[in-house]
Amino acid sequence: MDASSKSSTFSGISRTGLEVRLVARPEGLPAPGDFAITEVDVPNPASGQVLVRNLFMSLDPGMLMLITGESCLPMPRYEVGEVMYGDAIGEVVASADSSLREGDLVMHRLGWREYAVADAGLFRRVDRDAYPTPSTYLGFGLVAYVGLMDAAELRPGDTVFVSSAAGATGSMAGQIARLKGAARVIGSAGSRDKVDYLTGKLGFDAAFDYHDGPITDRLREAAPEGIDVYFDNVGGEQLRAAIEIMNPHGRIAVCGALNRQSKAGPDGGPGDLLSVLGKRLTIRGFTVGDHLERAPEFGAQFRTWLREGAIVYDETVIDGLAKAPQALLDLVNGAYTGKTVVQLGG
Ligand SMILES: NC(=O)c1ccc[n+]([C@@H]2O[C@H](COP(=O)([O-])OP(=O)(O)OC[C@H]3O[C@@H](n4cnc5c(N)ncnc54)[C@H](OP(=O)(O)O)[C@@H]3O)[C@@H](O)[C@H]2O)c1
């Protein structure tokens, strides 16, 4: 691209930015060649629009299902040839709408690009001083919170099992369960380091590596008196084991399907449902988007917990949009801990 002849200006500043398009729809997991990273001119905002410089965007394993297009998630798949979308946080650098001003920090869904230009109504102003870094806004604490409180109907004294417990949602779910009165919190993860992280820094009562032998056996050892709540990020064998170990009237919140997402194939589902009937279990899927009324209540609690040192919030920060496609694959391959975000624009 000839930047000198094509780049846009606003207030005399030339702007180009990177964006990521899906260029082919893979059958299974995507390869780097399924994405195109291009530098484009950034248009000036038209009347009613704002121009936002993105600071961070979220990486979510659910994006893999939007890429393959086989998702039954309540959100549109990525279209071939189009820029992908996802949660991001950025700073208004030019505004042609009275609702937002230059310097405002805004959340929105126009990730996978360094600059976003769109109608002001698509951006939500947030408090710049709420967290030490704006990337914290992209965390999945609210996902964990509504999964526990609404889908699993967590009760004081419950024994709670969380899978993918060292990840973005799981690390929050285990700690929030404890803060909300769980008597015992158990986590599973894919490596010895992550198991140590769970029982060490995050304060889980017990944890195991799901590669270590039959999961039912590991779960029985970790929860000799059974489990009351399973926060399911994974599905497959871990879901089947949890059903087997659950106490009567146990509750399962189905948050994710990492076993399926990480190999882009079926995982055998929940198995024989006779135990669900016999033990009168509840299995409830949820999406955070159906529970956004909980956001103010959660935000207030989360900030208090952070201030008091009652909760650990860890992030993995990937440097630069160009690394994001590979990082999405690395994410489901277990390379990262905590919430994974991409820092944009240096
Ligand atoms: N319901 C909602 O509203 C909602 C909202 C956001 C996200 N989600 C979903 O919640 C789930 C967790 O998302 P996240 O962002 O918190 O991901 P994450 O746990 O931070 O990251 C992915 C992790 O998946 C684990 N993994 C990969 N393959 C696995 C397998 N076969 N069995 C067990 N673990 C496996 C890896 O951990 P190990 O190293 O431990 O294997 C990896 O670190 C995803 O399915 C996501 O799509 C749901």
Side-chain angles (χ1 to χ4, degrees), residues 59-62 140 143 164 167-170 188-191 194 210 233-234 238 254-259 261-262 286-289 331-336 338-339:
L59 285 183
D60 173 354
F140 282 167
V143 180
S164 197
T169 315
S188 67
S191 70
K194 287 187 179 180
Y210 60 85
N233 282 313
V234 169
Q238 299 211 48
V254 179
C255 175
L258 284 164
N259 189 41
Q261 288 162 326
S262 62
F286 73 96
T287 61
V288 67
L331 168 65
V332 290
N333 283 329
Y336 311 130
K339 173 65 195 168

Side-chain angles (χ1 to χ4, degrees), residues 21-79:
R21 285 166 200 274
L22 185 67
V23 291
R25 192 174 304 289
E27 289 281 329
L29 288 176
D34 295 328
F35 305 90
I37 302 160
T38 32
E39 186 167 8
V40 295
D41 293 334
V42 177
N44 296 328
S47 174
Q49 292 188 324
V50 291
L51 167 61
V52 169
R53 182 173 71 88
N54 282 337
L55 302 172
F56 295 93
M57 72 170 211
S58 170
L59 285 183
D60 173 354
M63 289 167 167
L64 290 169
M65 301 179 89
L66 304 181
I67 288 171
T68 57
E70 46 112 38
S71 161
C72 57
L73 299 174
M75 54 189 79
R77 67 180 191 174
Y78 297 141
E79 293 304 333

